[in-house]
Each structure stands twice: as C-alpha cells, then as structure tokens.
Amino acid sequence: MPELWRYNGSRLQINVLQAGKYIESDISFNFPEIPQLKSVIPQYVEQSKTAGRNASVKAFRTWVREQL
C-alpha cells in the first residue's frame, strides 16, 4: 500500500512508502492539490461530534470540491 493514514483521535498521520519503509509526510501523494488535508480532517472529525456525522461529511465534501 503506497500510502497509509492513521488517526489517533486528535492527529492525522500520513505515511508514504519509500524504499520499502513508511515515512511520515506532510502531504498526501493521493491528494497533492490539498496540502492542508492533514490539519483539516481532524477538524471535521471534531465537528462530527457536535454537528453529526452526515452533516460533517457533507461539509467536508463541499470543502474538498472548493479546493479542487
């Protein structure tokens, strides 16, 4: 798997496979046009706790479309 995301409840870690080892990266190679993804996803996860999952997913999708 070339890219692995891990979320520990407060922080998103993006790991990319390079030379057979995973190294932490600030950007996703799958979504290079959205460099702030690593900080934004935890915000939407937190939002889902109060606004609900469906509303937060919808808001996140809207945000992603605006970034592309």
Side-chain angles (χ1 to χ4, degrees):
M1 185 171 295
E3 186 170 295
L4 177 68
W5 293 14
R6 298 174 70 188
Y7 183 69
N8 70 2
S10 63
R11 181 176 175 266
L12 176 66
Q13 183 178 4
I14 299 173
N15 296 292
V16 294
L17 188 61
Q18 290 187 350
K21 296 181 181 181
Y22 284 103
I23 61 164
E24 189 169 358
S25 176
D26 288 331
I27 62 164
S28 166
F29 291 155
N30 291 313
F31 302 100
E33 63 278 354
I34 310 176
Q36 65 274 40
L37 191 65
K38 189 173 174 180
S39 63
V40 170
I41 287 180
Q43 294 173 13
Y44 281 99
V45 170
E46 284 302 310
Q47 176 185 326
S48 73
K49 294 176 183 177
T50 56
R53 184 180 64 183
N54 291 341
S56 297
V57 168
K58 185 176 181 179
F60 178 70
R61 286 180 181 159
T62 300
W63 178 83
V64 168
R65 284 187 199 106
E66 291 170 355
Q67 305 308 303
L68 301 177

